[in-house]
C-alpha cells in the first residue's frame, strides 16, 4: 500500500507543478496539488486496498481448497485434512483466523467461509458434506471445482497483465499532454504572456488538469473492478 501512496504523491506533484508552470498561477498549482493528494488518500487508496485484499484472499482460498483436497485424498480424514491445510496457510491468514482451535469442525469451516466469502468456497463446503455422507473419490469429485478455481486464477492474472499495459499507455498519454502544455509555456513565451493575462486561461488549465484527475479515477475504478463470484465489493471487509 506504500506503493500506492508514493505513486499518488508523485502524480499529485506532477499535476500541481504542471498546473503552476503552464498557468503561471500559484493558486491553480496549489489547488490541483491539494485535490490530487486528497483524491489519492481518501478515494484511490481504499479502492486499491479492497482490490488487493480481494485478490490475496482468492489466492489463499485456492491454496486452502487445493491443499485440503490433496490431504483428504491421502489421509481420508476430514479433520486431519483440515489441520494439515490450516497449518500450511501463511502467517497472515493465521493472524486473521485465530482462536479457532477449540471450535468444532463445522464452526471452523463457517469462520473461514465468512473470511473468504467466495462462491467457490461455498461449493467446496457442499462437496465436503457430500463426501462426508456418501464417501467417494474426492479427487474426481472436486475436478470441476478445481478447474473453476484455476480458471479464476488465470482470469486474475490476465486482468493484472492488462492493467499494467493500460497504466503504461495512460501514463505515456498524459506525460505527452502535460509536456506539450509546459513546452508551450516556454516556446511561445510572448503568446503565453498575452494569454496568461486573460482570466479564462488559468481556468482553462485548471479544467484540463481536473479532467486528468477524473480520467485517473475512471481508470482506477475500471482496474479495481474485478468480478469474482460471491465477493461483494460494497460489503465491509473485516
Amino acid at each position: 500500500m506504500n506503493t500506492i501512496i508514493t505513486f499518488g504523491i508523485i502524480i499529485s506533484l506532477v499535476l500541481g507543478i504542471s498546473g503552476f508552470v503552464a498557468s503561471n498561477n500559484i493558486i491553480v498549482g496549489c489547488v490541483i496539488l491539494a485535490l490530487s493528494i486528497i483524491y489519492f488518500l481518501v478515494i484511490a487508496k481504499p479502492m486499491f486496498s479492497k482490490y488487493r485484499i480481494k485478490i490475496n484472499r482468492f489466492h489463499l482460498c485456492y491454496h486452502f481448497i487445493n491443499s485440503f483436497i490433496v490431504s483428504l485424498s491421502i489421509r481420508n480424514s476430514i479433520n486431519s485434512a483440515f489441520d494439515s491445510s490450516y497449518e500450511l496457510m501463511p502467517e497472515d491468514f493465521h493472524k486473521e483466523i485465530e482462536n479457532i482451535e477449540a471450535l468444532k469442525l463445522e464452526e471452523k469451516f463457517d469462520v473461514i467461509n465468512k473470511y473468504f466469502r467466495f462462491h467457490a468456497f461455498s461449493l467446496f463446503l457442499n462437496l465436503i458434506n457430500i463426501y462426508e455422507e456418501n464417501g467417494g473419490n474426492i479427487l474426481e469429485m472436486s475436478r470441476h471445482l478445481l478447474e473453476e478455481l484455476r480458471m479464476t486464477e488465470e482470469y486474475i492474472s490476465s486482468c493484472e497483465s492488462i492493467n499494467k499495459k493500460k497504466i503504461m499507455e495512460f501514463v505515456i498519454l498524459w506525460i505527452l499532454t502535460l509536456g506539450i502544455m509546459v513546452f508551450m509555456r516556454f516556446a511561445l513565451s510572448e503568446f503565453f504572456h498575452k494569454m496568461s493575462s486573460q482570466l479564462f486561461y488559468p481556468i482553462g488549465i485548471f479544467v484540463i488538469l481536473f479532467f486528468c484527475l477524473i480520467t485517473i479515477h475512471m481508470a482506477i475504478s475500471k482496474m479495481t473492478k474485478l468480478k469474482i463470484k460471491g465477493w461483494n465489493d460494497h460489503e465491509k471487509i473485516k
Side-chain angles (χ1 to χ4, degrees), residues 80-161:
S80 297
F82 181 92
D83 293 338
S84 176
S85 302
Y86 184 78
E87 290 175 2
L88 289 174
M89 298 298 284
E91 188 64 28
D92 290 343
F93 176 82
H94 289 160
K95 289 179 180 178
E96 295 285 343
I97 309 295
E98 55 184 359
N99 300 323
I100 67 170
E101 290 78 8
L103 300 178
K104 296 179 180 179
L105 183 61
E106 294 79 7
E107 294 173 333
K108 292 179 181 179
F109 274 129
D110 184 56
V111 170
I112 296 178
N113 185 36
K114 291 178 180 178
Y115 176 75
F116 286 138
R117 300 188 297 179
F118 296 111
H119 177 65
F121 199 81
S122 297
L123 294 178
F124 164 72
L125 293 181
N126 292 335
L127 184 67
I128 295 304
N129 288 333
I130 294 173
Y131 175 84
E132 188 175 21
E133 293 176 1
N134 304 317
N137 186 335
I138 190 60
L139 293 177
E140 182 63 28
M141 293 168 64
S142 61
R143 183 165 56 87
H144 293 295
L145 174 60
L146 292 176
E147 179 65 17
E148 180 180 333
L149 288 168
R150 185 187 64 79
M151 290 177 63
T152 304
E153 283 278 294
E154 292 179 354
Y155 163 70
I156 292 173
S157 298
S158 176
C159 288
E160 291 194 304
S161 178

Side-chain angles (χ1 to χ4, degrees), residues 19 66 79 94 121 126 164 176 195 197 207 223 235:
N66 190 62
N79 283 286
H94 289 160
F121 199 81
N126 292 335
K164 290 178 182 178
L176 291 174
M195 293 292 292
S197 62
V207 170
M223 286 189 297
E235 186 177 346

Side-chain angles (χ1 to χ4, degrees), residues 49-237:
S49 177
K50 290 182 179 181
Y51 172 73
R52 293 312 313 174
I53 289 173
K54 175 166 52 177
I55 291 177
N56 291 336
R57 286 199 186 179
F58 187 83
H59 291 328
L60 290 175
C61 180
Y62 180 36
H63 178 65
F64 181 88
I65 292 174
N66 190 62
S67 299
F68 187 97
I69 290 173
V70 171
S71 180
L72 183 58
S73 68
I74 297 172
R75 300 170 184 264
N76 295 317
S77 169
I78 294 178
N79 283 286
S80 297
F82 181 92
D83 293 338
S84 176
S85 302
Y86 184 78
E87 290 175 2
L88 289 174
M89 298 298 284
E91 188 64 28
D92 290 343
F93 176 82
H94 289 160
K95 289 179 180 178
E96 295 285 343
I97 309 295
E98 55 184 359
N99 300 323
I100 67 170
E101 290 78 8
L103 300 178
K104 296 179 180 179
L105 183 61
E106 294 79 7
E107 294 173 333
K108 292 179 181 179
F109 274 129
D110 184 56
V111 170
I112 296 178
N113 185 36
K114 291 178 180 178
Y115 176 75
F116 286 138
R117 300 188 297 179
F118 296 111
H119 177 65
F121 199 81
S122 297
L123 294 178
F124 164 72
L125 293 181
N126 292 335
L127 184 67
I128 295 304
N129 288 333
I130 294 173
Y131 175 84
E132 188 175 21
E133 293 176 1
N134 304 317
N137 186 335
I138 190 60
L139 293 177
E140 182 63 28
M141 293 168 64
S142 61
R143 183 165 56 87
H144 293 295
L145 174 60
L146 292 176
E147 179 65 17
E148 180 180 333
L149 288 168
R150 185 187 64 79
M151 290 177 63
T152 304
E153 283 278 294
E154 292 179 354
Y155 163 70
I156 292 173
S157 298
S158 176
C159 288
E160 291 194 304
S161 178
I162 292 173
N163 285 343
K164 290 178 182 178
K165 293 179 182 178
K166 293 295 183 182
I167 288 173
M168 289 301 299
E169 294 174 359
F170 184 86
V171 169
I172 292 172
L173 174 63
W174 275 105
I175 284 178
L176 291 174
T177 302
L178 296 176
I180 291 171
M181 290 171 57
V182 174
F183 174 78
M184 290 178 63
R185 160 72 170 82
F186 297 102
L188 305 174
S189 56
E190 292 184 8
F191 176 76
F192 170 78
H193 287 302
K194 292 180 180 179
M195 293 292 292
S196 61
S197 62
Q198 303 295 321
L199 179 62
F200 70 86
Y201 182 76
I203 294 176
I205 295 297
F206 174 81
V207 170
I208 292 173
L209 295 175
F210 188 72
F211 176 73
C212 176
L213 199 57
I214 291 174
T215 58
I216 290 174
H217 174 67
M218 292 172 64
I220 291 175
S221 297
K222 187 173 182 180
M223 286 189 297
T224 55
K225 283 186 178 179
L226 193 68
K227 300 296 182 182
I228 303 179
K229 285 184 179 180
W231 186 275
N232 184 357
D233 288 321
H234 301 292
E235 186 177 346
K236 186 177 179 181
I237 298 175

